[in-house]
């Protein structure tokens, strides 16, 4: 099965390599070797440079004829029904093996993990707020001093009742400054007293908050490692969590690769989009991609433009991740440089080099030659005297009168 998978991927398996060495190389066979797969032929040529590997139109026609006459060639040992069963069994076994062979490429785990991470965030906030409300009756000033939910839960579990503040060393869970503030506030607190049984349940709840937080950190690290294995190009551009949420929203990595850039840009803002279309207002400029670090670094007026550019490059990287293999070159590093250049242009800081590192030279417009006025080419018209002008005008009047008289004479003759 490993050999079959290697053949489909265009790789030379060790069994194939041993066969070629024993059957061809050691016997000094100088005939041409016909290979139907061009990628596999290239791999064999790299492993055995002395062999003459051929992959052209006549070879493809030869393999077509062999496949067409396959049943007749093997009919002496196998029937047509046996051949169909063998092909079906091989297809099923190969499919199961390929799924088992590359478990890192299964993006279903990413979808489930990011959904669990969102659920843990909601539960963690709910539990932390319940701890603050419950313990706040006993020590209300602590919530004002410690805004972090994790530190709050650790102090409550470590200290217990505020009367124990003089018996414990809070510097084990807090800094010296915060520990001093908590110590002083506990001595002057206006909260009510609480019995030991209630404090036990509060501390158990704090233990749950700390455990959920630790598990969330482990899950976050798992998502980052899996995203770098499944979609490295997408991760470089938008980050691990945003990329995982995009994959989860689309359903799978291949579905995300099929989306156009305009859809990826507003993925996650479908309600706002349809509401804007219904009310004929401006459509949203970004969805989940808004949480990417590149969009956050941009000025508010340019976030929509950078979201568009980032969505274009993210789709390209996602298609490389979904349809490429381990030998495919990563394209997101160059695309990341282009996005940074676009950000500089929008911010008014023109880049000094191109994405390939070529320095940009300042454009200088050519000097325009202003033509000089030449007085020698002027034409001077002769002045017409007033007497000649009067004669010319009188002649025009006489001509008009003659035309009118001729018209009247023609009319009278007709009548």
């Amino acid at each position: 099965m490993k050999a079959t998978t290697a053949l489909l991927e265009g790789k030379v398996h060790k069994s194939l390599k041993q066969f070629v060495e024993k059957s061809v190389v050691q016997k000094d066979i100088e005939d041409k070797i016909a290979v139907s797969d061009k990628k596999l032929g290239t791999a064999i040529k790299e492993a055995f440079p002395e062999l003459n590997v051929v992959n052209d139109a006549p070879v493809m026609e030869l393999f077509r004829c062999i496949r067409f006459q396959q049943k007749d060639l093997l009919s002496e040992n196998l029937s047509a029904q046996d051949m169909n069963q063998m092909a079906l069994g091989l297809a099923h076994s190969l499919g199961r093996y390929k799924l088992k062979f590359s478990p890192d490429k299964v993006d279903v785990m990413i979808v489930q993990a990011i959904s669990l991470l969102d659920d843990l965030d909601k539960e963690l906030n709910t539990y932390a707020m319940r701890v603050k409300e419950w313990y706040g009756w006993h020590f209300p000033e602590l919530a004002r001093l410690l805004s972090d939910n994790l530190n709050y839960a650790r102090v409550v579990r470590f200290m217990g009742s505020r009367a124990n503040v003089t018996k414990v060393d809070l510097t084990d869970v807090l800094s010296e400054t915060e520990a001093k503030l908590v110590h002083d506030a506990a001595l002057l607190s206006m909260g009510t007293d609480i019995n030991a049984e209630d404090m036990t349940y509060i501390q158990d709840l704090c233990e749950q908050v700390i455990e959920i937080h630790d598990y969330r950190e482990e899950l976050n690290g798992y998502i980052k490692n899996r995203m770098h294995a499944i979609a490295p190009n997408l991760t470089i551009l938008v980050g691990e969590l945003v990329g995982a949420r995009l994959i989860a929203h689309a359903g799978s990595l291949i579905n995300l690769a099929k989306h156009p850039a305009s859809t990826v840009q507003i993925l996650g803002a479908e309600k706002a989009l349809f509401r804007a279309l219904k009310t004929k207002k401006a459509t949203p400029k970004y969805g989940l991609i808004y949480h990417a670090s590149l969009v956050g670094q941009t000025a508010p007026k340019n976030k929509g433009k950078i979201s568009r550019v980032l969505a274009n490059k993210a789709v390209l990287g996602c298609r490389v991740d979904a349809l490429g293999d381990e030998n495919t070159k990563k394209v997101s590093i160059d695309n990341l440089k282009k996005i940074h250049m676009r950000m500089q242009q929008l911010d008014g800081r023109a880049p000094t080099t191109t994405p390939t590192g070529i320095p940009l030279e300042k454009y200088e417009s050519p000097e325009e030659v202003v033509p000089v006025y030449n007085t020698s080419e002027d034409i001077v018209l002769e002045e017409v005297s007033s007497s000649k002008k009067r004669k010319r005008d009188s002649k025009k009047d006489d001509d008009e009168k003659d035309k009118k008289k001729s018209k009247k004479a023609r009319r009278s003759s007709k009548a």
Side-chain angles (χ1 to χ4, degrees):
M1 193 58 64
K2 293 181 180 180
T4 306
T5 306
L7 287 175
L8 293 176
E9 294 177 353
K11 299 177 181 179
V12 179
H13 192 258
K14 60 180 182 179
S15 59
L16 177 61
K17 191 173 183 180
Q18 292 175 359
F19 172 78
V20 174
E21 287 179 354
K22 292 181 180 180
S23 303
V24 180
V25 177
Q26 294 180 2
K27 294 182 179 180
D28 296 333
I29 297 177
E30 297 180 356
D31 295 336
K32 296 180 179 179
I33 299 179
V35 181
S36 62
D37 189 2
K38 185 177 181 180
K39 189 175 180 181
L40 179 61
T42 304
I44 295 175
K45 186 67 177 177
E46 292 177 355
F48 303 97
E50 66 276 8
L51 298 182
N52 188 4
V53 182
V54 182
N55 177 263
D56 50 12
V59 170
M60 301 304 295
E61 184 67 19
L62 175 61
F63 274 95
R64 188 188 69 82
C65 295
I66 293 174
R67 284 195 297 269
F68 185 74
Q69 302 292 335
Q70 184 176 3
K71 293 182 180 179
D72 296 334
L73 294 174
L74 301 177
S75 59
E76 296 182 358
N77 299 322
L78 296 173
S79 62
Q81 185 177 1
D82 293 336
M83 290 288 294
N84 293 333
Q85 290 180 355
M86 287 175 60
L88 183 61
L90 178 61
H92 288 172
S93 301
L94 185 61
R96 287 193 296 267
Y97 179 78
K98 290 183 71 175
L99 287 176
K100 184 179 179 181
F101 181 71
S102 57
D104 292 338
K105 301 299 289 183
V106 181
D107 50 8
V108 179
M109 303 301 173
I110 287 292
V111 176
Q112 299 297 330
I114 194 64
S115 301
L116 177 59
L117 187 69
D118 295 336
D119 294 339
L120 286 178
D121 288 336
K122 294 179 182 178
E123 295 296 329
L124 192 60
N125 290 332
T126 303
Y127 282 14
M129 293 304 298
R130 182 60 58 193
V131 169
K132 287 185 177 181
E133 290 181 5
W134 200 350
Y135 192 73
W137 290 98
H138 178 63
F139 191 2
E141 295 83 4
L142 186 61
R144 178 175 53 85
L145 297 175
L146 300 177
S147 58
D148 185 44
N149 295 331
L150 182 61
N151 289 339
Y152 190 97
R154 286 175 176 172
V155 169
V156 174
R157 187 192 64 171
F158 184 72
M159 181 177 63
S161 176
R162 69 170 187 268
N164 299 329
V165 70
T166 58
K167 302 177 183 178
V168 296
D169 187 9
L170 294 177
T171 56
D172 294 339
V173 293
L174 297 174
S175 62
E176 294 183 0
T177 305
E178 292 177 340
K180 186 176 185 308
L181 292 175
V182 172
H183 180 272
D184 296 340
L187 297 177
L188 302 175
S189 177
M190 300 296 293
T192 60
D193 293 334
I194 192 170
N195 56 37
E197 184 180 2
D198 295 336
M199 182 56 63
T200 301
Y201 284 102
I202 294 175
Q203 288 180 325
D204 291 341
L205 182 58
C206 293
E207 186 71 27
Q208 293 292 326
V209 171
I210 296 172
E211 289 180 359
I212 293 175
H213 184 273
D214 294 339
Y215 177 69
R216 184 197 177 280
E217 293 298 323
E218 295 179 1
L219 184 64
N220 190 21
Y222 164 78
I223 292 175
K224 290 182 178 180
N225 295 332
R226 185 54 65 91
M227 280 298 296
H228 281 288
I230 294 178
N233 290 284
L234 181 63
T235 303
I236 291 174
L237 292 174
V238 300
E240 298 87 358
L241 296 181
V242 177
R245 287 191 173 93
L246 288 174
I247 293 174
H249 201 84
S252 65
L253 182 62
I254 191 68
N255 290 342
L256 182 62
K258 293 178 182 178
H259 287 322
S262 57
T263 303
V264 174
Q265 181 182 355
I266 60 172
L267 206 63
E270 288 82 4
K271 290 184 179 179
L273 174 64
F274 293 120
R275 183 170 60 248
L277 294 176
K278 185 177 180 180
T279 57
K280 296 182 179 180
K281 294 183 179 179
T283 56
K285 297 180 180 179
Y286 29 67
L288 292 171
I289 207 169
Y290 177 80
H291 300 287
S293 61
L294 290 175
V295 180
Q297 297 171 9
T298 313
K301 63 179 181 179
N302 298 327
K303 287 184 183 294
K305 296 179 180 179
I306 292 299
S307 297
R308 179 64 176 173
V309 177
L310 182 59
N312 290 331
K313 304 304 180 184
V315 168
L316 292 178
C318 185
R319 289 169 184 170
V320 172
D321 295 331
L323 306 176
D325 53 14
E326 63 271 9
N327 298 324
T328 306
K329 179 183 177 182
K330 291 185 179 180
V331 298
S332 293
I333 297 177
D334 296 336
N335 292 336
L336 188 62
K337 295 179 182 178
K338 294 179 182 179
I339 296 174
H340 282 297
M341 289 184 62
R342 181 58 177 161
M343 292 171 63
Q344 292 178 3
Q345 290 177 354
L346 294 176
D347 292 340
R349 297 179 286 114
T352 58
T353 59
T354 62
T356 57
I358 301 175
L360 293 174
E361 297 181 359
K362 185 179 179 181
Y363 174 77
E364 295 181 359
S365 59
E367 296 181 359
E368 297 182 358
V369 180
V370 181
V372 181
Y373 185 76
N374 190 3
T375 57
S376 62
E377 297 180 358
D378 292 346
I379 299 175
V380 181
L381 299 176
E382 296 180 358
E383 295 183 1
V384 182
S385 61
S386 59
S387 59
K388 291 181 179 181
K389 188 175 182 180
R390 283 195 299 272
K391 289 180 180 180
R392 187 174 61 191
D393 294 340
S394 62
K395 188 177 180 180
K396 288 182 180 180
D397 295 339
D398 294 339
D399 293 339
E400 291 178 357
K401 289 178 181 179
D402 293 339
K403 289 180 181 180
K404 290 180 180 180
K405 289 179 181 180
S406 62
K407 287 181 180 180
K408 289 181 181 180
R410 285 195 298 271
R411 289 176 184 173
S412 61
S413 63
K414 289 180 180 180

